[in-house]
Amino acid sequence: MRDVRAAALLLLTVSAPAAAQFTGPGEPLAPAIASIAVENAHIRTPAGWATHMAIANGVIIAIGDEAAIRPHIGPETKHIAGAGRTIVPGLHDMHVHPMGAGQNAMACAIPQGAPPAKVLAVVKECAARKAPGQWLTGNGYDPSSFGKTLPHKSMLDKIAPDRPVLLFDISGHSTWANSNALKLAGIDRNTPNPPGGIIERDARGEPTGILRERASAMAWTKIPAPTREENRRALDWALSQLASLGVTSIDDAGLGQKGALAYADLADAGRLKLRVRGCIMATDPDAIAVRNLYQRDRFRPDCVKIFLDGVPTDAHTAAMVEPYYSPAGHGPHTDDGREKGLLMIPQPEINAMVAKYDAMGLTVKFHAAGDAAVRAGLNAIANARQVNGFTGQMHNVGHSSFVQMDDIARAKSIAATFEFSPYIWSPSPITDNIRHAIDEKRMQRWIPIKDALDAGVQAVPGSDWPVTPSANPWLAMETMVTRQAPGGKGPMLGGDERITLDQAFAMFTMASARNQNEAMRNGSLETGKQADFLILDRDIFSVPVTTVHDTRVLATFIGGEQVYDAAQPAPAQP
């Protein structure tokens, strides 16, 4: 018995240091000393408005009043005088194409909505600045502005006969090529439509120069690719533009290996400041296979982008449950199998892809503009949940321009996210183009954010810049509330889908952080979270909502580091 007691005493003695590690010493730790103290500001927190915030090592260590941060002030603390300015969390853009935006800035920019004469004049001027034979690329022409005389290759042949020309329309889903570009792409009257693409033809069967969806790739893949340095420079410029608007975290919604490499290059040079989730194109399996080669501290390529359809414009490539209608609403169009648009991948293949990526721990982001494509995406998410159980991947259906009510009702049960594009509410070329293809009854529920929120479904915003002309989140927030042109001008479009400013702001912050599985780190300003915040020129919650689009970001901080200062000159275009 004495031996047993001795053994027990020895065990307790040996275990005491280990136990101390869990219970901790009796003396409390000294307060962490802040590297930055924000004072006398108007700071939005989940608990209400605060005035002071202390930051150490990029993390908020105290937030509240002056007394809350006082223990954290040291001799090396940098003091930022808030002067009563409004401070809010950094914003998320859940669907953007930064490198493409930077590359577009290098190309021939056509003013959206420009009439044919203006389009051709701009293209002619751009051609004059290039050497003969050099590719001319551009973007932004609006097919609906051409009226009954549709864009044709002969128009471009006349103004640029000595070079190949390829122009993207405002949606980014159709291109306009001249004869030289068609020849280099190997497209003539005998060329069949590629899977998921359309070569528009005239009554004689000759290509008109308009290429839809994957047919566009037949031409753009012939354009000499930008260099590694050009890609890096284009991406760097675009990310700086986003930071100037208050965007601190994004989903890059379509990457290949070159795009992923550009992020890695920026990160290695110490220039990647935004937090980025990269969605690699499902059509680039090699990039998916080596994705972790490019992962860095602020770049995680753990998302896959799948295109399910096109756009609900004159192209008639978005997959719809009901047929497209004529502008006058006199009946369904009949246009070579596109009466209901194009679903680019059969449902069984979509199901298999999503289940595979879900099991790999990858989030899927769909391009799904039409309600039939949205339904196909939800079907695939439901199948993945059945096959794999809930893996924690918050798959999202991107754009969701049209959604059937019964699909909204079931989205919550399968933990699907609707990602909406709220940058085109107001009368605009893109909106007008869609209204020419879709009847007014369906347009009443165009981009149904309120229906989704009322059903308790997670909803997040994405600009789709540069498909849209601006990535300005303040414009988006305002028009989500008003459903009118900025400033509350003009008629409402889908007024029943209006939401509150608080709801819109939550979509840009906490809802997006949850979708990225980052809610423990960002999405709000509170103790323990990353110090991603903005200093604004106004309190957007106290001014008339019709002025929110004019909001200016005075400073952007990510991880406590100032990455944008409105007082500094803007970076030059790439």
Side-chain angles (χ1 to χ4, degrees):
M1 179 64 92
R2 184 179 302 166
D3 292 341
V4 172
R5 285 197 300 268
L9 180 61
L10 177 62
L11 179 61
L12 288 172
T13 303
V14 171
S15 301
Q21 293 180 44
F22 296 102
T23 59
E27 292 297 322
L29 290 173
I33 299 303
S35 54
I36 298 173
V38 181
E39 301 164 334
N40 300 313
H42 187 53
I43 307 170
R44 183 179 173 91
T45 79
W49 293 95
T51 56
H52 290 65
M53 179 168 61
I55 299 163
N57 200 30
V59 174
I60 300 169
I61 57 174
I63 191 165
D65 57 12
E66 190 275 336
I69 74 165
R70 189 184 305 138
H72 303 281
I73 303 301
E76 301 300 320
T77 301
K78 175 184 177 182
H79 296 264
I80 296 178
R85 293 287 193 188
T86 295
I87 292 180
V88 299
L91 306 181
H92 295 63
D93 187 332
M94 300 294 286
H95 193 124
V96 65
H97 306 280
M99 196 165 79
Q103 290 169 343
N104 279 3
M106 304 178 193
C108 186
I110 299 167
Q112 288 201 7
K118 176 67 173 177
V119 172
L120 296 173
V122 169
V123 174
K124 185 176 182 179
E125 182 181 343
C126 291
R129 297 196 295 265
K130 290 185 174 289
Q134 187 177 7
W135 274 88
L136 171 61
T137 61
N139 54 84
Y141 81 90
D142 173 22
S144 65
S145 71
F146 281 69
K148 294 182 179 179
T149 305
L150 298 178
H152 193 273
K153 61 186 178 184
S154 60
M155 300 176 184
L156 299 177
D157 291 344
K158 185 176 180 180
I159 61 172
D162 59 346
R163 72 186 68 252
V165 179
L166 188 68
L167 308 174
F168 281 89
D169 75 348
I170 53 175
S171 74
H173 285 255
S174 294
T175 51
W176 177 15
N178 70 350
S179 295
N180 281 332
L182 292 176
K183 183 177 180 181
L184 289 173
I187 297 173
D188 59 27
R189 65 178 293 119
N190 299 313
T191 306
N193 289 332
I198 298 291
I199 301 169
E200 298 286 9
R201 306 170 196 273
D202 60 22
R204 296 174 297 130
E206 291 291 336
T208 65
I210 301 300
L211 309 173
R212 311 287 192 189
E213 303 299 341
R214 292 179 183 171
S216 295
M218 300 172 70
W220 86 55
T221 53
K222 304 300 181 184
I223 301 171
T227 66
R228 180 171 175 175
E229 172 57 22
E230 286 171 338
N231 285 337
R232 187 203 62 78
R233 196 166 69 246
L235 180 61
D236 194 20
W237 175 83
L239 293 178
S240 71
Q241 301 303 302
L242 290 168
S244 75
L245 294 169
V247 175
T248 58
S249 181
I250 66 171
D251 271 10
D252 188 315
L255 284 172
Q257 287 198 63
K258 291 181 179 179
L261 178 60
Y263 277 109
D265 283 346
L266 276 185
D268 293 343
R271 292 194 55 80
L272 181 58
K273 305 301 183 180
L274 271 68
R275 306 186 192 280
V276 182
R277 176 168 69 176
C279 297
I280 303 172
M281 299 294 291
T283 52
D284 193 347
D286 292 340
I288 295 173
V290 297
R291 61 193 180 278
N292 289 321
L293 176 65
Y294 307 108
Q295 181 161 319
R296 299 293 188 273
D297 180 45
R298 294 191 181 179
F299 175 61
R300 51 187 182 95
D302 57 6
C303 172
V304 175
K305 174 73 173 292
I306 300 176
F307 275 88
L308 297 184
D309 68 344
V311 288
T313 63
D314 68 307
H316 296 178
T317 54
M320 303 296 293
V321 172
E322 300 296 331
Y324 284 92
Y325 274 71
S326 67
H330 291 154
H333 284 293
T334 53
D335 49 6
D336 61 16
R338 278 181 286 161
E339 296 85 358
K340 295 185 179 181
L342 299 173
L343 185 64
M344 296 184 178
I345 308 173
Q347 186 72 64
E349 291 184 28
I350 305 170
N351 290 356
M353 292 169 71
V354 176
K356 171 188 172 183
Y357 294 132
D358 179 72
M360 292 170 63
L362 299 173
T363 299
V364 171
K365 183 183 290 292
F366 294 112
H367 170 104
D371 49 11
V374 170
R375 177 167 291 175
L378 294 174
N379 289 344
I381 295 172
N383 175 73
R385 303 301 189 216
Q386 184 175 3
V387 172
N388 300 329
F390 181 66
T391 59
Q393 305 310 312
M394 308 298 291
H395 307 302
N396 53 92
V397 184
H399 304 311
S400 302
S401 301
F402 299 93
V403 189
Q404 294 285 317
M405 282 299 296
D406 54 349
D407 285 325
I408 286 178
R410 73 173 175 138
K412 183 178 181 180
S413 66
I414 58 174
T417 298
F418 286 123
E419 175 234 289
F420 296 107
S421 301
Y423 292 72
I424 49 178
W425 294 138
S426 56
S428 69
I430 297 178
T431 307
D432 294 342
N433 204 312
I434 293 171
R435 295 184 78 170
H436 279 107
I438 304 294
D439 60 272
E440 286 301 315
K441 182 178 179 181
R442 283 183 286 184
M443 288 299 294
Q444 290 174 8
R445 290 189 57 252
W446 183 50
I447 311 189
I449 295 181
K450 186 175 188 300
D451 287 340
L453 294 179
D454 286 350
V457 181
Q458 182 165 260
V460 298
S463 68
D464 204 20
W465 183 55
V467 175
T468 53
S470 171
N472 185 344
W474 313 103
L475 181 151
M477 278 187 229
E478 176 186 317
T479 54
M480 289 161 76
V481 175
T482 65
R483 288 280 181 148
Q484 292 175 287
K489 301 173 184 176
M492 288 185 186
L493 182 56
D496 290 345
E497 295 295 338
R498 287 174 293 171
I499 60 174
T500 69
L501 184 60
D502 280 333
Q503 288 176 312
F505 187 79
M507 287 174 62
F508 275 93
T509 52
M510 276 305 298
S512 294
R514 290 191 191 100
N515 186 256
Q516 290 185 327
N517 290 319
E518 289 290 321
M520 68 168 287
R521 297 182 182 88
N522 57 52
S524 62
L525 299 179
E526 49 190 312
T527 301
K529 288 199 173 184
Q530 294 163 330
D532 296 0
F533 64 94
L534 318 173
I535 303 177
L536 307 181
D537 71 340
R538 71 195 68 195
D539 176 3
I540 65 169
F541 301 99
S542 64
V543 299
V545 71
T546 51
T547 66
V548 170
H549 73 280
D550 282 328
T551 299
R552 288 183 63 243
V553 176
L554 303 179
T556 301
F557 290 77
I558 301 178
E561 177 188 1
Q562 186 168 358
V563 301
Y564 170 71
D565 182 349
Q568 298 298 317
Q573 285 196 338

